[in-house]
Amino acid sequence: MSDATGLQNEVRKLFEGIVAVFDDEVSTPNSVAQKLVQHLKDLNFPIVSFAVPPADVKKTVQNLHGASFVIFDWKYGDVSGTPHGPGASMLEDGEASVQIDSLRELLNSTYCPIFIVTQEGIDKIKQTLNENNITKDGWHARILFCHKSDLREVNNFFVRVKNWIDSNAPVCVLKKWERAAREAKFGVFSELEPYGDWPRILWNAYKQDGDDAASSLAMLLCKVVSYRMCYNCNFPKSLFVGAEEVTKEFSVKRINGNPPVRPIQNHPSFLLPQERELVG
């Protein structure tokens, strides 16, 4: 196996699922977009492509909530028939645009990496995203900027993605956690399948015991799936080099004597309802 093949397989394991591509050159022969998409297809990625901006961006993006990642061309070449007219840029200086609206919807409705590809200066794009409150200081945990000239060799894309993941703890943890969750869910429900109508069987058993059947069934599934995930969700230690310095930026409290494993100022998202009351 070549180094390139090994790298692509490694990235492929992390990014399982549909790839959404927003690029008007996706079907243009020998274009960067066409070559990249074809290579992704050869690696068995299912592709959903948008050569023309969707008529209803919000509804379209909401249907992409399960996407593995998104490839987003910063400026479509535009096609005749769009509201912008043939050959017109879809990004007007200082104004919200199709790009801004689409990116905002993607970030709000999906939780996956977004690779912005461009033929322009990346610093200018970062400035625009800063001004529209999409990035802060040109950075967003789920956005990677790639210049199209760097992607003429398809393997360069995978090199960029792999290096980015290795240095980006939020994305790396997300993708490894997703894979572990997917495998655990598949395992649990596959093993329950031979028991036929097992949800009603369990529901009735809980009800006969005088328990809250709905919450008991939900807790059982959460428990067994989470238990399996713990054995498959391994994060590389190298990802957490320098974690001590990062943690110093946040206040950490103990809750009911438990170790302070929740930095980020005990954000409510990390706490159970009863725990939120303890931290005020």
Side-chain angles (χ1 to χ4, degrees):
M1 179 186 297
S2 67
D3 291 341
T5 301
L7 174 64
Q8 292 173 18
N9 287 339
E10 190 173 351
V11 173
R12 180 71 178 86
K13 288 179 181 178
L14 285 176
F15 292 93
E16 293 182 337
I18 293 172
V19 178
V21 181
F22 293 79
D23 194 317
D24 68 316
E25 295 183 343
V26 71
S27 299
T28 302
N30 297 319
S31 67
V32 172
Q34 191 271 337
K35 288 181 179 179
L36 181 57
V37 166
Q38 185 56 54
H39 197 76
L40 291 171
K41 287 181 178 179
D42 292 342
L43 291 173
N44 299 313
F45 280 100
I47 305 293
V48 177
S49 60
F50 301 90
V52 178
D56 191 323
V57 173
K58 187 171 184 177
K59 287 184 178 180
T60 299
V61 169
Q62 286 175 347
N63 286 321
L64 298 175
H65 62 86
S68 179
F69 63 91
V70 174
I71 297 175
F72 191 91
D73 180 25
W74 179 246
K75 276 194 176 183
Y76 293 91
D78 206 20
V79 294
S80 180
T82 69
H84 303 273
S89 167
M90 295 198 338
L91 183 63
E92 308 242 347
D93 289 341
E95 297 181 3
S97 65
V98 171
Q99 285 94 331
I100 297 298
D101 292 341
S102 299
L103 276 174
R104 187 171 281 119
E105 276 304 324
L106 283 165
L107 290 168
N108 290 338
S109 300
T110 68
Y111 204 91
C112 68
I114 300 174
F115 305 132
I116 297 179
V117 297
T118 179
Q119 294 180 355
E120 301 182 1
I122 290 176
D123 287 342
K124 184 177 180 181
I125 296 174
K126 289 181 177 180
Q127 180 181 347
T128 301
L129 295 181
N130 284 343
E131 292 170 353
N132 285 275
N133 299 315
I134 289 180
T135 58
K136 182 177 181 181
D137 298 328
W139 184 86
H140 191 291
R142 284 181 281 144
I143 294 178
L144 173 66
F145 299 93
C146 301
H147 203 281
K148 280 196 171 182
S149 62
D150 296 331
L151 302 181
R152 296 192 185 283
E153 292 294 331
V154 174
N155 194 55
N156 287 349
F157 173 75
F158 293 95
V159 171
R160 288 291 308 279
V161 171
K162 181 63 169 60
N163 290 340
W164 182 61
I165 292 174
D166 288 345
S167 62
N168 189 323
V171 170
C172 184
V173 168
L174 165 68
K175 302 313 292 184
K176 288 185 177 294
W177 184 90
E178 280 183 341
R179 181 179 176 84
R182 185 166 55 247
E183 292 176 348
K185 180 182 71 172
F186 181 82
V188 168
F189 280 83
S190 294
E191 291 177 15
L192 287 171
E193 201 169 65
Y195 293 93
D197 200 356
W198 57 267
R200 290 184 178 180
I201 296 172
L202 290 173
W203 180 284
N204 190 53
Y206 285 127
K207 190 174 181 180
Q208 289 180 348
D209 290 341
D211 297 328
D212 182 335
S215 61
S216 295
L217 178 57
M219 287 297 294
L220 174 68
L221 291 173
C222 289
K223 186 183 296 183
V224 293
V225 171
S226 297
Y227 182 79
R228 292 194 181 207
M229 283 180 62
C230 291
Y231 289 93
N232 295 324
C233 202
N234 299 313
F235 306 122
K237 292 182 179 179
S238 59
L239 188 67
F240 302 100
V241 173
E244 297 84 358
E245 294 301 316
V246 175
T247 305
K248 289 179 181 178
E249 299 179 12
F250 304 102
S251 62
V252 181
K253 300 178 182 178
R254 288 178 177 267
I255 300 176
N256 290 340
N258 292 323
V261 294
R262 302 183 181 97
I264 317 181
Q265 298 178 344
N266 292 293
H267 191 283
S269 297
F270 290 93
L271 307 179
L272 296 174
Q274 61 270 28
E275 293 175 327
R276 295 174 191 172
E277 297 177 4
L278 294 176
V279 299

